[in-house]
Amino acid sequence: MKKILVFLSFLSLSLGAAAQDIPWQWNPDNSGAQDRTVVIADLVVNGLAVDIDGLDSHYLIGAFIDGECRGLSETVTNSGKRWLQIEVFGNYGHTDDSGKPISFRLYDKDSQSEYPLSSSRPVVWNQTTYGMPSADHVVLSAWTMPTDAVVTYPATITLSKLHDVQVTFTHTNSSEAALDPALLAVTIADGPHGWTAATATGNGLQWTMRGLAVGEYDYYVTYDGKRMLTDDGKQTGKLIIPAEISLANGWDWISLYVPTPFSLIDPPSGFYMSTLNIDSQNQIIEIRSQEAAVYNDPQQGLFGDITELTAADGFYKIKSNYDEQHSANAIFNLGTSVDGQATAAMMPMVEPGYTWIGYPHEQNHSLEVLQDVLSSTATDGDRIIGHNAFLEYDGYQWVGSLRVFEAGKGYIYYTENTTPFRLNWGDYYMPQEPELLISRTTPLPSPWHYDYHRYASSMPVVASLDLPLALSDGRYTVGAFVGNECRGLAEVTDDDHLFITLAGTPGEMMTFKLYDNQTGRTTALKEKLRYGIAAGNVHAPLQLHASTEGIEETEMRPANPHRRCYNLLGSPVTAGRAHGIYITTVSDGVSTKTIKMIK
């Protein structure tokens, strides 16, 4: 009898030890199973990675299909390397198994408790291997300490680039332990040069997120160094920052700053996508590139030669019929599935004459930041023309009214250089600038306003005002008009140049007026100008006269003055000349002006 009692006591101890090592319902039956899916994993518990050396003694991971245990974790050693591996058994030819999701549970041997495990990616039974011993492990994570201070945070956040988004975390724990904001941190993985920002506000649960570069980024939250969980139980959340291009009502000049082309054609049907006509108040009327066009016929719909938007086309002039309440909406959401960023090499080469060019940067940049790089490839007289502002290179630097280059906008480059060249836009990861420096130009102090979006083209005019007054910056404004409609504005400064970007259509007659914002007086100028390509330049500006008394109005036709630059030996010089003394001649076909330049 004593032997039987001893045997029963030993049996009880053995069963107890077995129950501690593995729950009774976790006994996978792999008899007859011919196939398997292998999962190579890492284990994270309470925000901390579990060292593989002590994993087997404290934890066990079970793999389940439809609630049935199909495999258990084991530590594998091979060629001096160790990893955690789970073999999930099944029959590949059995349709009940193939493609089914695999879930995981954690058994804590010390507390004899079970916990659900979240997986860093979906895992299904398909007779393949997830991960390799050396890399690409599936991360399985669980939280087993509900009494600690716990914060949950959104699993997915979509950010509109360059706009702040307010995000609220949730403080959830059974003991209601106080939250110390100083211990809470947000980490954004793989963000290029910290271009995606998170800033704490309020009591530590409110955060301001700002997306600066297009893409999808992992982010996670830690409290006192421990990883927290997302609101769907995962260790890592996702920040989605799509590339968006917003259009104004009327004409807009846009370009792509991502390398992936945006298709306008629906592949299954071969027709233009319906997203180009979202509703009756949000409709694409026309798309133009420098070489092709798409039109919207009221009966036939969209037709033409442009099937995709791409950085290689430079930029596009797009006409839409937005109404005012939709003017801030984006028509083109290019998504986040982009491989890298657009570069200057993806843009068209600058050809002699006029070239439609895009802007490769995802961020706005001021002229001050781009001045040196754009000057490195410039020739005297080159122009960069925007929809409502422009610059001219005077042989030393870029001057004009274009103060900010905007992401997603297009520009026209004009050069008399006979050799095509690649425009230097600088390094993609250029420094951030304060928003104050890259904000849009404030309206000039005058009673006149104009909407350049009503017109597809722009005409750069460099003028000089014959005004024998002591001028001060900002006191005077010159306006250009067709009839009573304002078509362009320029502030009169003491540098003797006006940079006026005219909106209109070829052949229209422009007149000019001067406004004194101190007295409120308006004076008509005597000149008329017929709308064309360009007029005047920094070396030979178009002369405007403030006094019309006794003088009849004079029509001036636009012209691009002919420039030639020579060294002191009389030899012609083109772009990229070295430092020295040069002679520049400027001729409009009637008169010639000679200028000595030192570089």
Side-chain angles (χ1 to χ4, degrees):
M1 177 64 75
K2 289 182 179 180
K3 290 183 179 180
I4 295 176
L5 289 174
V6 171
F7 173 76
L8 290 175
S9 299
F10 174 78
L11 180 60
S12 299
L13 291 173
S14 299
L15 290 174
Q20 187 178 19
D21 287 339
I22 179 172
W24 66 269
Q25 70 271 33
W26 283 29
N27 288 302
D29 181 10
N30 60 0
S31 60
Q34 299 178 2
D35 305 304
R36 63 181 180 174
T37 288
V38 178
V39 179
I40 299 175
D42 291 328
L43 178 63
V44 176
V45 177
N46 300 324
L48 301 176
V50 177
D51 193 306
I52 196 169
D53 290 334
L55 194 150
D56 286 341
S57 60
H58 296 286
Y59 299 108
L60 181 69
I61 299 173
F64 296 81
I65 298 178
D66 291 335
E68 177 186 355
C69 187
R70 294 293 189 88
L72 299 175
S73 60
E74 60 177 331
T75 300
V76 178
T77 302
N78 188 6
S79 300
K81 296 182 179 180
R82 303 186 69 197
W83 64 88
L84 179 67
Q85 178 174 297
I86 309 169
E87 294 186 359
V88 187
F89 295 95
N91 190 330
Y92 190 69
H94 196 315
T95 56
D96 288 343
D97 286 348
S98 180
K100 280 198 168 184
I102 301 173
S103 61
F104 302 91
R105 295 189 65 81
L106 177 71
Y107 181 69
D108 187 330
K109 297 179 181 179
D110 298 329
S111 64
Q112 300 185 33
S113 302
E114 288 186 43
Y115 303 94
L117 283 165
S118 61
S119 175
S120 60
R121 53 178 151 157
V123 178
V124 299
W125 199 92
N126 54 8
Q127 204 183 18
T128 59
T129 299
Y130 288 84
M132 299 177 292
S134 58
D136 199 28
H137 295 186
V138 176
V139 179
L140 302 175
S141 55
W143 192 269
T144 67
M145 302 171 63
T147 57
D148 272 6
V150 178
V151 168
T152 59
Y153 56 98
T156 303
I157 301 174
T158 299
L159 304 178
S160 183
K161 192 167 71 71
L162 298 182
H163 289 81
D164 289 340
V165 174
Q166 301 300 318
V167 179
T168 301
F169 301 160
T170 303
H171 182 204
T172 58
N173 61 300
S174 57
S175 65
E176 298 183 358
L179 178 70
D180 184 354
L183 299 179
L184 196 65
V186 175
T187 300
I188 301 172
D190 301 324
H193 292 253
W195 274 19
T196 303
T199 305
T201 57
N203 62 359
L205 294 176
Q206 284 74 44
W207 287 74
T208 299
M209 299 283 192
R210 165 161 286 210
L212 303 178
V214 170
E216 296 187 9
Y217 306 103
D218 290 337
Y219 85 110
Y220 58 87
V221 176
T222 57
Y223 185 79
D224 196 17
K226 295 181 179 180
R227 293 280 284 266
M228 300 290 104
L229 299 179
T230 63
D231 52 18
D232 64 354
K234 295 182 179 179
Q235 290 278 336
T236 304
K238 185 74 69 176
L239 295 177
I240 300 174
I241 307 169
E244 298 173 337
I245 296 180
S246 299
L247 300 186
N249 187 30
W251 285 98
D252 211 345
W253 294 11
I254 71 162
S255 65
L256 269 65
Y257 51 81
V258 294
T260 307
F262 178 77
S263 177
L264 303 179
I265 300 295
D266 180 33
S269 66
F271 295 110
Y272 283 92
M273 295 188 299
S274 60
T275 53
L276 297 179
N277 294 298
I278 298 175
D279 55 54
S280 61
Q281 297 297 327
N282 185 1
Q283 185 179 64
I284 296 297
I285 298 173
E286 185 176 341
I287 303 176
R288 301 179 189 174
S289 70
Q290 193 166 8
E291 305 291 339
V294 165
Y295 302 94
N296 194 346
D297 183 86
Q299 283 75 40
Q300 302 299 323
L302 288 158
F303 68 95
D305 301 323
I306 301 175
T307 59
E308 65 180 11
L309 304 184
T310 173
D313 277 348
F315 82 89
Y316 302 90
K317 296 181 179 181
I318 296 185
K319 186 178 183 181
S320 61
N321 70 343
Y322 272 124
D323 61 13
E324 290 303 319
Q325 66 180 356
H326 294 112
S327 61
N329 291 353
I331 281 188
F332 297 125
N333 184 328
L334 307 177
T336 60
S337 57
V338 295
D339 181 16
Q341 297 82 25
T343 66
M346 298 174 183
M347 304 291 177
M349 294 279 286
V350 174
E351 302 285 344
Y354 292 88
T355 303
W356 292 20
I357 57 174
Y359 182 64
H361 297 294
E362 283 187 33
Q363 299 178 322
N364 298 354
H365 286 298
S366 67
L367 174 61
E368 286 75 12
V369 165
L370 294 172
Q371 176 73 253
D372 290 343
V373 293
L374 289 175
S375 296
S376 67
T377 52
T379 305
D380 184 22
D382 286 4
R383 290 197 188 106
I384 300 177
I385 306 165
H387 203 176
N388 68 333
F390 73 98
L391 298 171
E392 183 172 331
Y393 190 67
D394 66 0
Y396 302 99
Q397 63 182 347
W398 291 94
V399 295
S401 55
L402 180 57
R403 310 310 302 174
V404 177
F405 289 87
E406 297 185 57
K409 298 301 179 182
Y411 302 89
I412 295 175
Y413 198 101
Y414 170 78
T415 184
E416 293 183 0
N417 191 344
T418 58
T419 303
F421 63 93
R422 181 74 65 189
L423 188 61
N424 184 0
W425 281 113
D427 183 75
Y428 179 80
Y429 296 108
M430 298 190 75
Q432 278 289 298
E433 299 178 77
E435 289 186 18
L436 181 62
L437 294 179
I438 60 173
S439 61
R440 292 175 180 267
T441 303
T442 56
L444 296 180
S446 76
W448 307 318
H449 304 280
Y450 77 108
D451 182 6
Y452 61 91
H453 291 293
R454 293 182 59 189
Y455 302 92
S457 63
S458 64
M459 176 184 178
V461 175
V462 182
S464 179
L465 183 64
D466 180 18
L467 188 65
L469 297 173
L471 300 181
S472 59
D473 289 358
R475 175 174 177 177
Y476 297 96
T477 301
V478 170
F481 295 83
V482 173
N484 293 322
E485 181 185 353
C486 184
R487 296 293 188 85
L489 296 171
E491 184 179 11
V492 180
T493 64
D494 57 5
D495 65 359
D496 198 35
H497 285 101
L498 301 175
F499 297 90
I500 313 173
T501 306
L502 303 182
T505 55
E508 291 184 306
M509 188 64 71
M510 300 279 176
T511 60
F512 299 90
K513 298 178 183 179
L514 177 69
Y515 177 75
D516 186 336
N517 65 63
Q518 289 187 6
T519 65
R521 180 184 176 185
T522 299
T523 303
L525 306 184
K526 82 179 186 69
E527 285 75 22
K528 284 183 174 182
L529 179 66
R530 192 169 297 279
Y531 190 93
I533 297 176
N537 61 69
V538 294
H539 302 306
L542 175 70
Q543 295 296 317
L544 299 177
H545 298 83
S547 175
T548 61
E549 185 176 341
I551 302 177
E552 295 199 5
E553 293 182 343
T554 303
E555 178 181 342
M556 303 189 70
R557 294 184 175 273
N560 269 324
H562 192 64
R563 296 178 181 81
R564 285 293 181 266
C565 186
Y566 304 89
N567 60 25
L568 294 181
L569 298 178
S571 301
V573 181
T574 57
R577 57 184 180 269
H579 292 281
I581 301 175
Y582 301 91
I583 302 298
T584 297
T585 63
V586 183
S587 174
D588 60 4
V590 178
S591 61
T592 300
K593 187 175 182 179
T594 301
I595 306 166
K596 183 175 74 172
M597 302 184 65
I598 301 175
K599 182 178 181 182

